[in-house]
Amino acid sequence: MDLLGIPSDAGASRRGCSMGPEALRVAGLRETLVSLGHDVADLGDLRKESGLNQLSVAARQAEVLALAAQSSEKGLASLQRGRLPIFLGGDHSLSMGTISGVARHCAAAKRALHVLWIDAHGDFNTPATSPSGNLHGMPLALLCNEPEFGEAFRGDWRGSVDPQNVTILGARSIDRAERQLLETRGVDVVDMRRIDELGAAALMREIIEKVQATDAHLHVSLDVDAIDPAIAPGAGTPVAGGLTYREAHIAMEMLHDAQCLGSLDIVELNLFLDHAGRSAEILVDLTASLFGRQIMPRQPTRRLIV
Ligand code: DIR
Ligand code: MN
Ligand code: MN
Ligand code: MN
């Protein structure tokens, strides 16, 4: 696997997630994966433009799009080398680039792509629906080819994902017009109420079966704010009532057992808001579960027993 840092907060509402890649490194991400037997290369960080506090909207948008173009190339190259890319954010707008690279790889390999977006939010706003104007609330809509993005957003990312092949997990804060779009486009939103009612394991089983039915490449995009802010405070837009520690882990453990993961984003970790590295450590532990850490040994099962 390849680690690639994208240290930008140009798409976020609060600064500080630009320090996410370094926080994940300090929390031992690479060493943890190596201890699980994986071959891990750290490709370092993409270069960001400035880091000034008072960037204009246009300058922030330009930074997001420039980094997206680089991430798309790096991600595609990593997949073409037969590696599994892990992108370290950085705010969630970077996923327009990472997923567009993944989508290009899937198109070349004639493979379906499924995106599992683990997030408190839908990230399905457009410039027309967004109440904040922040680009980290819009990447899924752009990837799913919503028409309300201007010419400036031209690029491989536009329309590289089919909204019917997107699952959002852990949602509990969706804007009104965003909810309408998600419904119209047929995105499956596994919100916190469904998790309360049916349980994380049963819902994960359904998601995994859908991915396996078409032998799709699975891209997981993990936003730290999906996890309950009481245990993961390092989030710029925290929302109460998130995934518990075990709900998040069972999701990762089941994904590992299903052996269907092809690429991963770990995003929005805000070191400036975190408490003594707690959120960074939770993300490293979740990544460990995703890549094979087990409480007691188990055989991987392609088909899960219902
Ligand atoms: C809100 C918040 N829906 C927006 N989105 C966030 O600004 O579009 N996404 N925080 O991660
Ligand atoms: Mn997000
Ligand atoms: Mn979010
Ligand atoms: Mn604090």
Side-chain angles (χ1 to χ4, degrees):
M1 46 193 70
D2 287 337
L3 306 181
L4 180 70
I6 305 165
S8 171
D9 48 22
S13 53
R14 305 182 63 166
R15 297 208 51 206
C17 57
S18 53
M19 296 181 277
E22 201 57 16
L24 290 165
R25 290 191 183 95
V26 173
L29 180 61
R30 180 170 183 277
E31 293 85 343
T32 300
L33 291 167
V34 167
S35 78
L36 291 164
H38 299 290
D39 168 20
V40 188
D42 188 340
L43 307 184
D45 288 346
L46 294 183
R47 203 178 63 84
K48 63 173 170 173
E49 283 305 311
S50 64
L52 294 174
N53 272 320
Q54 301 296 338
L55 287 182
S56 67
V57 172
R60 283 161 50 135
Q61 181 174 306
E63 177 173 319
V64 166
L65 291 168
L67 286 171
Q70 290 183 57
S71 319
S72 178
E73 290 304 321
K74 295 264 186 187
L76 176 61
S78 172
L79 287 161
Q80 284 176 337
R81 289 193 302 271
R83 311 280 292 181
L84 187 154
I86 302 178
F87 304 97
L88 315 176
D91 75 77
H92 219 161
S93 65
L94 63 89
S95 297
M96 66 178 71
T98 65
I99 295 178
S100 90
V102 171
R104 287 195 285 156
H105 171 74
C106 290
K110 298 201 173 13
R111 188 104 189 268
L113 166 62
H114 195 97
V115 174
L116 176 58
W117 196 273
I118 307 179
D119 203 313
H121 309 92
D123 293 354
F124 213 90
N125 274 306
T126 71
T129 68
S130 172
S132 68
N134 295 318
L135 290 173
H136 74 162
M138 306 186 202
L140 260 183
L142 183 64
L143 287 160
C144 291
N145 210 19
E146 283 303 321
E148 287 163 329
F149 290 87
E151 266 303 288
F153 288 91
R154 198 168 5 89
D156 282 322
W157 30 84
R158 287 201 82 147
S160 56
V161 173
D162 177 349
Q164 314 258 359
N165 291 334
V166 175
T167 307
I168 298 172
L169 181 76
R172 52 201 185 276
S173 173
I174 312 269
D175 300 309
R176 186 185 291 268
E178 183 184 29
R179 184 192 304 160
Q180 187 61 55
L181 277 182
L182 286 164
E183 272 187 359
T184 314
R185 306 307 182 206
V187 175
D188 186 16
V189 183
V190 179
D191 62 12
M192 287 311 300
R193 176 170 175 171
R194 276 172 76 187
I195 295 172
D196 290 342
E197 289 182 338
L198 299 171
L203 291 160
M204 284 308 299
R205 217 166 270 139
E206 279 181 28
I207 295 166
I208 288 166
E209 277 169 8
K210 184 173 179 196
V211 173
Q212 290 180 335
T214 56
D215 193 29
H217 174 116
L218 179 68
H219 178 93
V220 171
S221 201
L222 174 61
D223 185 324
V224 68
D225 69 31
I227 304 155
D228 197 279
I231 57 167
T237 49
V239 189
L243 297 173
T244 66
Y245 188 83
R246 275 307 310 167
E247 282 168 343
H249 272 279
I250 190 71
M252 298 297 130
E253 289 161 342
M254 291 176 73
L255 288 170
H256 170 261
D257 289 356
Q259 297 284 301
C260 54
L261 184 78
S263 42
L264 172 68
D265 306 321
I266 306 173
V267 303
E268 296 270 339
L269 171 60
N270 191 315
L271 182 61
F272 202 69
L273 302 171
D274 199 10
H275 297 184
R278 275 167 63 192
S279 312
E281 282 171 354
I282 286 183
L283 287 172
V284 169
D285 283 337
L286 287 171
T287 310
S289 286
L290 182 57
F291 289 103
R293 182 188 282 168
Q294 297 174 324
I295 300 169
M296 290 293 285
R298 284 214 187 199
Q299 296 307 316
T301 41
R302 276 292 291 181
R303 292 287 157 203
L304 295 161
I305 297 134
V306 189

